[in-house]
Amino acid sequence: MNITPGSMIISSRRILTMDATDTVVEGSVVIRDGRISQVLPAGAALPADLAVTDVGDRPVLPGFVDPHVHIEMAATAMWGAVDCHAPPCGSIEELIEQLRAHAHLREQRGGWLVGQGGLFAGRRFAEQRLPTREDLDRVSTTFPVVVRFGAHVTVVNSHALSLVDVDSLPETGDAYIGRDASGRPNGELHELFYALPIPAMTDAELSEAIEETAERYLTRYGVTTAGEITNSMPGVRRLSELAGTGRLPASVDAFVWAPGTLSLEELFAQRRAGQLDDPVNPGFRYRGIKIFVDGGFSAAGAAVLRPYAQLRGGVPQSGRMAYTVNDLTDLIRTTDDLGLQLTAHVNGERAQRELCRAAVHARGGTTGHLPVRLEHAGNVLTDDATLEHWHRAGAVPVPQAGFIYTMGSFIPESMGKYALPAMFRFRDLIDRGWRICSSSDGAGSELLQFNPLFGVQCAVTRRSCISEEVNPDQRITVLEALAMHTSSAAAAMGLADRGSIEAGKRADLVVLASDPRDVAPEVISTIAVDTVTVNGTVVRRYR
């Protein structure tokens, strides 16, 4: 059942409105029928017909907005999986012990012991490398063991390798098989997790996993609006049933991943046939499509402007483009015709520029279209001329503040030292008038990223996972970082009715245990969410 619009008053000595001037008010938020009716200063007469909740010094903020998250992907990654992130695993030895201690979980995955670790684990383990098949053979040689690091790199034991026809695996694009000096597979697989014969989750398991993941990594962190990058159509259908209900209070905008969820041809055909129209549930809508225009930095796949410092097979690399400008131009015209927003993975500036050129060609100066979203633009900005491409296309950059922690120390190693001053230039972008948001891109590879307050912490402290400062001159204030996760994130999603506490806005609110402005920057992410209000109704009380 959808959440019934509520009416109430919340009073606080710290209402962080996140409006255009970041006004902080001591007073009360008056809510009627799920909308904010008034924001009154302390001492003003309050409507007598509404119940009042006074939270004292605890701050009230608009609900957090996450424009780019992978709820289903995280659900499938962590379902029946051993937590192999760093922490809790600071070394390969600790990883092996963690897998041994949780070997019973293989019963949940059809006999496969599956671990989920984080990005750049080879740099974060004490041994400064990834495990090998021999390391995982110490867990077992009688059942398959597989550990996925992020979403791109997988390591398997010898038993798992014996269940795969390795010679038949495609080594194209970013996909390849790690081998030792003799040419023997060492257990490391890139972009090939899908090829492992791990039994698929049942529909019932998927449904349960999605609901659990959404509670733990969205609602518990105060996220009241999410942009879901889809994984499968069964997962989409489950989200369309749950979103905006007491079981998953957040509203969900779905961006259908092509070709992962549906091929472009299937997606467009279903949209034309009315099969991808919004369901009856007002908490869910099909917003657009998600494509990958280039690859990632770790595998030198992001389409950059200068060759990477690291060579591949002795050959300089500048990344890869999955589409031509003509392809992208046609794609934008089609999505415009179908009322869908194009959301594109464009890590590298060359990919961003090509997509922006395509948007200009496709639209020919006409207006009224949903802006193209540049996912990951703003994480690395080496040439300010790229900003002009963004501007001409009317594109929306969507960076990830949490990536400062996960990959801030490692991208320059791949790209070259020239990238150091280009990392996460939020201070420059804000000062130049760009409304910069942040998304989690949470998919299970780095669990901390789901927490919007972790993104705030990263934008303020600029600390990486190996305790290095990443381009510290680009620090921003706590209020600016909160705006990235509220008002600016809502704007990036085209949602004018949320993201700030102002009259007429939807009453999606969170109450925090402490004010992020008052605690030490390095502990901002530990602040608990006490209360979550959606559509004017309190849906969770955690305190």
Side-chain angles (χ1 to χ4, degrees):
M1 181 179 295
N2 290 109
I3 296 166
T4 302
S7 300
M8 61 186 296
I9 297 172
I10 301 177
S11 299
S12 171
R13 286 189 280 276
R14 300 164 183 252
I15 300 172
L16 280 60
T17 66
M18 307 316 302
D19 64 8
T21 58
D22 291 333
T23 305
V24 178
V25 176
E26 178 181 355
S28 301
V29 182
V30 181
I31 300 167
R32 290 190 183 277
D33 298 322
R35 295 278 166 174
I36 297 170
S37 172
Q38 298 170 282
V39 180
L40 299 174
L46 300 177
D49 61 321
L50 298 178
V52 180
T53 298
D54 191 334
V55 300
D57 281 327
R58 287 181 289 159
V60 178
L61 287 80
F64 293 116
V65 178
D66 191 343
H68 177 142
V69 67
H70 302 264
I71 301 168
E72 183 191 351
M73 188 177 291
T76 57
M78 295 305 296
W79 176 258
V82 182
D83 185 357
C84 296
H85 293 88
C89 300
S91 66
I92 292 172
E93 290 302 313
E94 290 179 355
L95 170 75
I96 291 169
E97 289 305 312
Q98 181 84 333
L99 289 165
R100 287 172 174 166
H102 294 86
H104 61 281
L105 289 176
R106 70 185 187 276
E107 297 171 8
Q108 206 168 322
R109 300 297 292 263
W112 287 69
L113 182 61
V114 178
Q116 178 64 52
L119 298 165
F120 295 97
R123 287 296 315 279
R124 297 166 71 176
F125 287 148
E127 295 86 351
Q128 290 291 288
R129 64 174 177 84
L130 288 173
T132 63
R133 64 189 289 181
E134 287 79 12
D135 292 318
L136 297 189
D137 284 348
R138 292 169 55 196
V139 179
S140 177
T141 56
T142 60
F143 58 79
V145 180
V146 52
V147 182
R148 198 177 188 190
F149 295 102
H152 306 290
V153 180
T154 303
V155 180
V156 300
N157 70 345
S158 297
H159 189 90
L161 274 177
S162 72
L163 301 176
V164 179
D165 182 1
V166 175
D167 293 334
S168 70
L169 296 179
E171 293 190 79
T172 58
D174 292 338
Y176 69 93
I177 300 162
R179 299 179 185 273
D180 60 23
S182 68
R184 175 175 173 265
N186 62 10
E188 189 173 319
L189 306 174
H190 288 244
E191 309 292 357
L192 291 169
F193 179 80
Y194 73 89
L196 300 174
I198 302 173
M201 297 169 66
T202 66
D203 286 348
E205 288 172 338
L206 179 61
S207 178
E208 180 182 348
I210 287 173
E211 190 169 343
E212 289 180 359
T213 300
E215 175 63 32
R216 181 178 297 179
Y217 297 118
L218 292 183
T219 312
R220 190 66 185 82
Y221 288 139
V223 175
T224 56
T225 301
E228 164 74 350
I229 310 302
T230 67
N231 200 46
S232 72
M233 288 311 295
V236 173
R237 286 190 288 272
R238 187 56 180 149
L239 284 169
S240 73
E241 297 164 354
L242 288 173
T245 72
R247 298 169 71 178
L248 198 176
S251 58
V252 174
D253 277 8
F255 295 85
V256 181
W257 170 29
T261 304
L262 294 172
S263 70
L264 286 171
E265 294 76 14
E266 291 173 315
L267 194 160
F268 294 151
Q270 290 192 26
R271 180 70 169 188
R272 291 186 180 103
Q275 297 170 8
L276 289 183
D277 290 342
D278 297 338
V280 175
N281 178 6
F284 178 92
R285 66 174 179 170
Y286 288 102
R287 177 66 170 178
I289 74 170
K290 162 70 184 301
I291 62 170
F292 282 79
V293 175
D294 68 349
F297 288 109
S298 60
V304 293
L305 300 176
R306 294 169 53 176
Y308 286 88
Q310 59 181 208
L311 303 180
R312 190 165 178 179
V315 179
Q317 303 291 315
S318 296
R320 59 174 179 82
M321 291 284 296
Y323 299 87
T324 67
V325 172
N326 288 338
D327 292 335
L328 293 169
T329 300
D330 291 342
L331 186 53
I332 292 169
R333 286 174 177 154
T334 302
T335 54
D336 285 349
D337 289 344
L338 294 175
L340 296 170
Q341 184 174 30
L342 180 64
T343 297
H345 171 111
V346 280
N347 262 320
E349 289 169 83
R350 181 160 56 91
Q352 295 164 30
R353 293 182 181 192
E354 295 289 270
L355 180 57
C356 288
R357 287 191 188 102
V360 172
H361 293 161
R363 291 167 173 172
T366 59
T367 59
H369 307 287
L370 294 169
V372 169
R373 274 181 38 176
L374 309 174
E375 306 303 300
H376 313 305
N379 289 340
V380 181
L381 180 62
T382 65
D383 187 345
D384 287 358
T386 300
L387 299 176
E388 182 57 30
H389 290 267
W390 298 358
H391 176 72
R392 283 200 300 268
V396 176
V398 183
Q400 290 71 39
F403 283 12
I404 295 172
Y405 176 86
T406 54
M407 59 185 72
S409 289
F410 308 130
I411 290 176
E413 295 179 1
S414 175
M415 291 184 67
K417 291 184 178 179
Y418 78 94
L420 286 169
M423 303 293 292
F424 306 97
R425 291 173 52 191
F426 300 154
R427 175 79 278 147
D428 286 346
L429 290 169
I430 291 171
D431 289 348
R432 294 182 188 195
W434 286 92
R435 192 170 192 178
I436 295 298
C437 73
S438 178
S439 77
S440 70
D441 195 13
S445 59
E446 194 65 61
L447 301 180
L448 295 170
Q449 285 176 197
F450 286 104
N451 183 358
L453 289 175
F454 179 71
V456 171
Q457 176 176 308
C458 291
V460 173
T461 65
R462 311 288 302 193
R463 286 281 177 184
S464 77
C465 62
I466 57 174
S467 298
E468 292 181 348
E469 282 193 322
V470 178
N471 209 6
D473 290 345
Q474 295 297 319
R475 284 190 178 93
I476 59 176
T477 69
V478 171
L479 280 176
E480 288 170 332
L482 286 169
M484 292 178 72
H485 296 83
T486 53
S487 55
S488 295
M493 293 186 69
L495 299 171
D497 68 338
R498 65 200 75 180
S500 62
I501 301 177
E502 299 177 86
K505 295 290 183 81
R506 179 175 153 122
D508 292 352
L509 307 171
V510 295
V511 177
L512 302 181
S514 305
D515 192 330
R517 299 172 301 165
D518 292 345
V519 303
E522 60 272 15
V523 299
I524 289 174
S525 64
T526 67
I527 296 173
V529 172
D530 282 353
T531 306
V532 180
T533 297
V534 171
N535 208 16
T537 296
V538 175
V539 295
R540 295 290 188 277
R541 296 186 191 276
Y542 293 113
R543 174 172 169 169

